[in-house]
C-alpha cells in the first residue's frame, strides 16, 4: 500500500476520484473523443511538465477549445436541424460550456499549477454562450 501511495503521489483518494471525466461528457460522443484526446496529451505532458511549457501548452489548449466552439457555431449555422436534433445539439453545446470547458481547465491546472492564469477560456465560453442564445 505504501508503494502504491508513493506511485500515486501526494493526492488522497478524493482527489484521485475528482480527476475522472464527468459522466455527462459520454452522452455526446464527439465531445468525449475530443476530451479523451486532450487528456491523453496532458497525461503525456505531465511526465515532463516544465514551467516553460505552460504558456505554449495553454495557448494550444485554448486554440483547440476555441476551434471546437467555432465548429459548433459553424455547424449550427450551416445545418437545418429538426426540433429533436436542435435539442440534442443544444445539449451538446451546454455540455461543452458547463462540463468539458471547466473540466479540461481543471486538468490543465493540475499539471501547471501556476498555469490557470495563462489559460483563458473566456473566448470559448463566449462563443458557446452565443450559440446557446440562439435556442433561447
Amino acid at each position: 500500500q505504501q508503494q502504491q501511495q508513493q506511485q500515486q503521489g501526494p493526492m488522497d483518494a478524493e482527489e484521485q476520484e475528482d480527476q475522472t471525466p464527468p459522466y455527462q461528457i459520454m452522452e455526446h460522443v464527439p465531445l468525449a473523443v475530443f476530451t479523451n484526446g486532450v487528456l491523453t496529451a496532458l497525461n503525456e505532458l505531465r511526465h515532463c511538465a516544465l514551467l516553460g511549457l505552460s504558456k505554449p501548452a495553454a495557448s494550444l489548449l485554448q486554440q483547440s477549445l476555441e476551434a471546437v466552439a467555432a465548429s459548433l457555431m459553424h455547424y449550427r449555422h450551416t445545418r437545418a436541424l429538426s426540433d429533436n436534433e436542435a435539442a440534442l445539439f443544444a445539449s451538446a453545446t451546454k455540455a461543452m460550456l458547463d462540463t468539458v470547458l471547466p473540466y479540461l481547465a481543471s486538468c490543465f491546472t493540475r499539471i501547471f499549477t501556476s498555469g490557470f492564469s495563462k489559460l483563458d477560456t473566456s473566448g470559448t465560453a463566449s462563443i458557446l454562450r452565443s450559440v446557446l442564445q440562439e435556442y433561447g
Side-chain angles (χ1 to χ4, degrees):
Q1 186 179 13
Q2 186 179 11
Q3 184 181 14
Q4 184 182 15
Q5 188 176 16
Q6 288 173 347
Q7 288 174 346
Q8 290 178 351
M11 290 185 279
D12 60 17
E14 185 178 317
E15 288 174 332
Q16 287 287 335
E17 188 177 305
D18 207 30
Q19 293 179 353
T20 59
Y23 185 76
Q24 301 89 324
I25 296 173
M26 291 182 57
E27 294 175 10
H28 307 285
V29 175
L31 295 181
V33 170
F34 171 74
T35 301
N36 190 49
V38 173
L39 291 178
T40 299
L42 291 175
N43 192 38
E44 289 296 318
L45 185 59
R46 75 180 167 84
H47 296 292
C48 186
L50 303 172
L51 189 57
L53 294 176
S54 67
K55 193 169 185 172
S59 178
L60 287 172
L61 180 54
Q62 182 178 331
Q63 289 171 15
S64 296
L65 292 167
E66 288 174 0
V68 170
S71 293
L72 287 169
M73 179 173 272
H74 177 75
Y75 187 88
R76 174 65 184 114
H77 290 141
T78 59
R79 303 287 192 280
L81 303 175
S82 69
D83 289 344
N84 188 34
E85 292 170 331
L88 289 171
F89 182 80
S91 175
T93 304
K94 186 161 178 47
M96 178 69 183
L97 176 64
D98 295 341
T99 307
V100 174
L101 196 59
Y103 174 69
L104 291 179
S106 172
C107 290
F108 184 84
T109 61
R110 284 190 189 106
I111 295 171
F112 297 107
T113 54
S114 64
F116 189 75
S117 61
K118 296 178 180 120
L119 181 62
D120 181 12
T121 60
S122 62
T124 303
S126 177
I127 294 168
L128 294 169
R129 282 189 197 100
S130 70
V131 172
L132 285 172
Q133 283 179 348
E134 295 177 18
Y135 293 100

